[in-house]
Amino acid sequence: MNTCNSIKPIIEFCNLWKSFDHDRIQVLRGASLSLEAKETVALVGASGCGKSTLLHLIAGLDEPDQGVVYIEGKALNKCRELTYRLRHQIGFVFQLHNLIPNLTLRENCLIPAVAAGTNRKQAKARLERLAEATGIADRLHHRIQDLSGGERQRTALCRALMNGPQIILADEPTGSLDDVSRVRVFELLLKLMREEGITMIMATHDLDLGRRCDRVIRVQRGTLFDETSDHQPSL
Amino acid sequence: MTLLRLILTNTQRHCIRTLIGVAGIAFGVAAMMTVVTLLQGAVNMFQRILKDDSEIIVFERHVSDLFFSNVAISDIEIMGTWPMVEQVLPSLFGLVSSEDRPVIACFGVTADSPRLKGAEWIEGNLSDFGQSRDIVLGSRAAEFLGVKLGDSAPLGHDSFPVGGIIRTENGFEDGGVFMPLAQAQEFFHKNGVASIASVSLFDDDLREAFIAKVKEGFPDLTALETEEFGNSYSQFRIIEATAWAVGGSAFLLGGLSVANTMIMSVFGRIREIAILRVNGFSPTQIASLIFGESSVITFFGVALGIGVGFGTMLVLQRVPLFQGYVDTQLHGSVLGVVVALAFVTGIGGALYPALYAMRIHPAEALRFE
C-alpha cells in the first residue's frame, strides 16, 4: 500500500517527524500514510501516542520537524494557504465541542461561512440541509448551554461540514459522550461522510467504533501501522 | 450571523470588563472636551475683548504677557494722526485684588472705549466716566465685592467710589474693574503708557501698510491683526497646549483601560480564537474581530463621554464662581479632534491584543488549554 509515488491521493505524507520540548519528547518518528478520497480512517493508539499531533500536522496547524504533508498533492507554504485549507478543504471536530457560548446553534454553525464570506442565502440553505441531516433543525435558535452533550457534538459536526470540506479530521469526537450518544454521534458521522463523499481521519480510543471505518491505523512508537493489513507500517 | 454579531456578542460576554473600557474612553473624551472647551473659551473671551475694539493691536515687542507691555501714549497719539487711521484707543491692563479676591482684572480705558459703550449700564452713566475718580464695575465684580453705586470699593491698598455698574457677556469684563486711563496709570505706576493700542482703519486694505509703518517708525512696538495676535500670542498658545496636553493624558488613561480590557478579553479566550482559526478565520479576520470590539467600546465611550462632557460644562456654567468665564460653545473642530483621538486611542489600545491574537498558534492553544 505504498502510495508516496503512485496516483495522487487526497492526503499523503512520508517520513513525518515531530518532537516537542526541544526534541526531548519524540512523538512521531517517520510516520507515513496515504489516503484516497472518501476513505474513512480510524487512528487508534494510547493517550499521548501522537494522534492529535498527527491531525494537527495534516491540517497544517503545526509544522513537522521533518517530512511534508500533501493535500491533493499540494504542500502548505504560506499562512494564506493554511487559511484556505482550513476554510475550504478541512473540517475539524474535537472531543469537546468547542462551540462559542452566547451564540445560538445557528450562529455557531455559520462561523465557517462568515470566515469564508459565503453568500447568506447559500449559507442558510446549506445550514438547513446540514441541520436536518444532523438532527438539530429544531434546536437552531437555542443557546449552547441549553443542549445535551450529544446535541453539542452534532452541532460541532454541522459546523465542520458548513463549508463543504473534502476532509474531516475528528479528534476523539465521541470521547466525552455517554455510551448511547457515542454510538449515535459516530454513526451520524460515518453516515454523513459516506453521503457527502468526505475523507475522514478520526482519532479514537474506541477500537470497536474504529473498526467500522474503512481502515484502522494504529499509532505506536511514533510510527503508523495499518491494522487492516496485518499490522504492517502504513507506508 | 455576521462578523458584527460576533463582535457584539464578545463585548456583551463580560459586561463589567467592557464597561470599564467604555468608562476609560468616556473619561478621556469628557476630560478633553471639558478642559479644551473651557480653556479655549477663556482664550476666546480674552480675544473678544481685543477684537471688539479694533482690527489691529499695537503692543510692546518681545513681551511675554500684555500686562507687561508698555506703549507710550505719545506714540499712540502720533499713530492717531496718520491719515489711514480712523481711531486709536489706548488700554492699560492690570490686576488688582480685594479681600476675598486675589485677582481681579482691571481695565484702564477712556470714555470712548467700546467696552463701556457696548455694555448694558445697570447703574450710573457713561457720560460721567472719567470726570472724577469714580470707577465702573462689572456686575459680577460688584456682586462679589458687595458694593453698589455710590459705595466705596476696596481695591489693593486704596478704595474707589463706584460710579457705575455695567453688565457685559464677557466674563473677564463682567468680573472686572474699569478705571479712567489716567487713574489706572497712576494706580499701576505706569504714567504715560498703555498696555496696548487698539487701532481701527478707514480701509481694511491698509492693514499691511499700517503694520509696516509701525515697524518702521516704532521698532520697539509690534502691530498685529487681532486674528494673527490670537494665533501668535504665547500665553494663548501655552494655555491651548496645556489644555490639549491635559486632555491627551486623560486619553492615555482611556487607551490603557481599553488595552487592558482587550488584553484580558484575548487572554481569556485563546482557545476560542484558535477554534475560529481552525474554522477558517484568517489572522486578519481575527485582528478585525479584536479591532471591531475595541471600536464598539470606543463608540459607546465616545457617546457617553460627549454626554458627560456636555453635562459637566452645563454644571460648571451654573456654578456662580465660573459664570461668565465658562464658554460652553463646543466647536465642531474640537469635537472632531476629540472623537478622532478617541478612536485612535481605542484602536491603539487594541493593537497589541490584536497582534497577540493574530499570532496565537492554534495547535498549541488546542494542546495546552
Side-chain angles (χ1 to χ4, degrees):
Chain A
M1 66 173 279
N2 183 351
T3 54
C4 274
N5 302 311
S6 61
I7 55 158
K8 268 190 185 172
I10 190 160
I11 300 173
E12 185 182 37
F13 50 87
C14 286
N15 198 26
L16 213 56
W17 289 71
K18 181 68 184 175
S19 62
F20 294 101
D21 197 14
H22 305 286
D23 291 343
R24 276 195 280 269
I25 305 168
Q26 283 283 352
V27 179
L28 296 176
R29 304 158 187 247
S32 302
L33 181 67
S34 177
L35 281 188
E36 285 177 18
K38 302 179 187 177
E39 270 193 296
T40 56
V41 174
L43 216 53
V44 297
S47 290
C49 68
K51 300 187 295 290
S52 299
T53 301
L54 189 57
L55 293 182
H56 292 165
L57 292 177
I58 293 169
L61 301 179
D62 213 346
E63 286 178 24
D65 299 335
Q66 193 182 313
V68 183
V69 176
Y70 295 94
I71 304 286
E72 287 190 308
K74 284 183 185 169
L76 201 62
N77 288 320
K78 294 172 188 165
C79 176
R80 203 181 304 154
E81 289 175 1
L82 171 63
T83 301
Y84 177 83
R85 184 183 279 189
L86 294 170
R87 223 175 245 182
H88 301 289
Q89 291 183 303
I90 291 175
F92 240 104
V93 183
F94 301 92
Q95 181 176 356
L96 296 170
H97 52 81
N98 284 320
L99 299 169
I100 296 180
N102 299 73
L103 291 182
T104 61
L105 261 68
R106 184 178 174 278
E107 289 166 336
N108 264 290
C109 292
L110 285 172
I111 283 173
V114 172
T118 312
N119 172 286
R120 274 193 188 190
K121 259 188 180 174
Q122 283 178 349
K124 193 183 165 202
R126 171 92 180 147
L127 172 64
E128 280 170 5
R129 203 171 67 75
L130 286 172
E132 202 62 52
T134 50
I136 56 165
D138 56 337
R139 313 296 306 261
L140 281 179
H141 295 286
H142 285 73
R143 291 187 184 276
I144 306 307
Q145 43 271 42
D146 303 332
L147 304 179
S148 69
E151 284 171 324
R152 290 177 190 189
Q153 207 57 314
R154 278 185 278 155
T155 307
L157 178 58
C158 188
R159 180 180 67 184
L161 293 169
M162 192 62 211
N163 284 350
Q166 297 151 284
I167 300 162
I168 285 287
L169 301 175
D171 194 354
E172 301 193 31
T174 58
S176 62
L177 302 177
D178 61 60
D179 287 348
V180 177
S181 301
R182 196 177 73 228
V183 174
R184 278 187 189 159
V185 167
F186 176 74
E187 282 175 348
L188 174 67
L189 187 62
L190 211 54
K191 177 174 161 268
L192 284 171
M193 295 307 106
R194 286 178 178 152
E195 277 177 10
E196 303 254 334
I198 297 170
T199 307
M200 177 180 79
I201 303 180
M202 178 183 74
T204 181
H205 285 292
D206 194 330
L207 198 56
D208 288 339
L209 291 182
R211 285 201 178 107
R212 295 171 65 182
C213 293
D214 297 335
R215 289 161 69 182
V216 176
I217 307 285
R218 179 170 292 280
V219 186
Q220 205 167 11
R221 293 187 299 277
T223 318
L224 306 187
F225 296 90
D226 193 336
E227 298 225 324
T228 43
S229 57
D230 301 327
H231 296 262
Q232 294 301 305
S234 63
L235 181 62
Chain B
M1 172 68 177
T2 58
L3 197 63
L4 182 64
R5 170 83 178 104
L6 206 54
I7 288 167
L8 292 176
T9 302
N10 288 335
T11 49
Q12 284 164 12
R13 225 185 289 177
H14 295 283
C15 290
I16 299 293
R17 204 156 65 193
T18 303
L19 282 176
I20 289 171
V22 168
I25 289 290
F27 170 72
V29 169
M32 184 169 257
M33 246 179 77
T34 311
V35 171
V36 171
T37 302
L38 289 184
L39 291 182
Q40 271 196 346
V43 168
N44 289 342
M45 225 175 274
F46 194 72
Q47 272 182 314
R48 274 205 297 274
I49 294 175
L50 305 171
K51 260 187 203 174
D52 287 348
D53 288 0
S54 61
E55 297 123 28
I56 291 178
I57 296 162
V58 180
F59 57 101
E60 190 179 347
R61 188 182 286 272
H62 303 313
V63 288
S64 59
D65 196 295
L66 287 185
F67 286 102
F68 304 125
S69 166
N70 291 317
V71 182
I73 296 294
S74 55
D75 293 346
I76 294 173
E77 283 169 355
I78 292 170
M79 285 176 216
T81 62
W82 293 349
M84 65 186 82
V85 175
E86 184 184 1
Q87 190 181 37
V88 189
L89 293 173
S91 296
L92 181 64
F93 299 134
L95 295 173
V96 291
S97 62
S98 71
E99 200 175 304
D100 296 329
R101 299 275 161 168
V103 177
I104 303 170
C106 181
F107 306 90
V109 293
T110 52
D112 44 5
S113 163
R115 294 190 188 93
L116 298 180
K117 279 183 177 172
E120 176 194 348
W121 283 77
I122 300 169
E123 290 181 283
N125 287 303
L126 175 61
S127 54
D128 297 334
F129 186 76
Q131 305 296 321
S132 60
R133 278 189 83 233
D134 290 5
I135 58 169
V136 170
L137 298 176
S139 62
R140 278 199 55 248
E143 195 180 315
F144 62 68
L145 289 170
V147 293
K148 54 186 187 301
L149 187 71
D151 287 351
S152 185
L155 294 171
H157 51 77
D158 209 343
S159 61
F160 298 86
V162 177
I165 295 171
I166 56 171
R167 181 177 290 127
T168 75
E169 285 180 5
N170 192 298
F172 288 112
E173 292 174 349
D174 211 45
V177 177
F178 294 85
M179 282 185 188
L181 181 62
Q183 194 176 327
Q185 287 170 333
E186 188 189 334
F187 184 77
F188 292 111
H189 308 292
K190 288 199 164 190
N191 291 318
V193 296
S195 303
I196 63 163
S198 308
V199 181
S200 302
L201 303 175
F202 286 110
D203 189 344
D204 285 352
D205 295 339
L206 297 170
R207 286 179 185 186
E208 280 184 22
F210 176 82
I211 290 168
K213 199 164 181 182
V214 170
K215 195 176 177 183
E216 188 189 325
F218 305 101
D220 293 337
L221 301 180
T222 296
L224 288 176
E225 291 185 31
T226 45
E227 290 285 346
E228 195 185 347
F229 172 79
N231 295 332
S232 61
Y233 187 42
S234 62
Q235 298 294 326
F236 291 170
R237 283 190 298 179
I238 289 167
I239 289 171
E240 288 196 4
T242 306
W244 287 105
V246 170
S249 303
F251 262 120
L252 189 65
L253 290 176
L256 289 175
S257 83
V258 171
N260 185 50
T261 300
M262 296 313 301
I263 285 171
M264 295 299 289
S265 169
V266 169
F267 284 10
R269 53 193 170 111
I270 288 176
R271 186 181 180 85
E272 191 178 300
I273 290 168
I275 294 295
L276 288 175
R277 188 85 183 91
V278 168
N279 278 290
F281 268 64
S282 66
T284 315
Q285 282 175 313
I286 299 285
S288 313
L289 201 63
I290 306 301
F291 283 126
E293 288 173 34
S294 77
S295 299
V296 168
I297 289 173
T298 306
F299 174 80
F300 285 105
V302 166
L304 180 66
I306 289 175
V308 171
F310 269 119
T312 308
M313 286 193 285
L314 285 177
V315 169
L316 287 177
Q317 210 176 19
R318 278 162 177 72
V319 174
L321 186 68
F322 292 113
Q323 273 173 18
Y325 291 102
V326 177
D327 182 354
T328 51
Q329 195 186 350
L330 178 66
H331 296 279
S333 58
V334 172
L335 188 62
V337 171
V338 168
V339 170
L341 270 177
F343 276 95
V344 167
T345 306
I347 301 296
L351 205 58
Y352 171 71
L355 280 174
Y356 186 92
M358 280 173 83
R359 288 174 185 162
I360 286 175
H361 198 284
E364 276 181 28
L366 294 169
R367 196 181 305 128
F368 292 114
E369 287 227 6

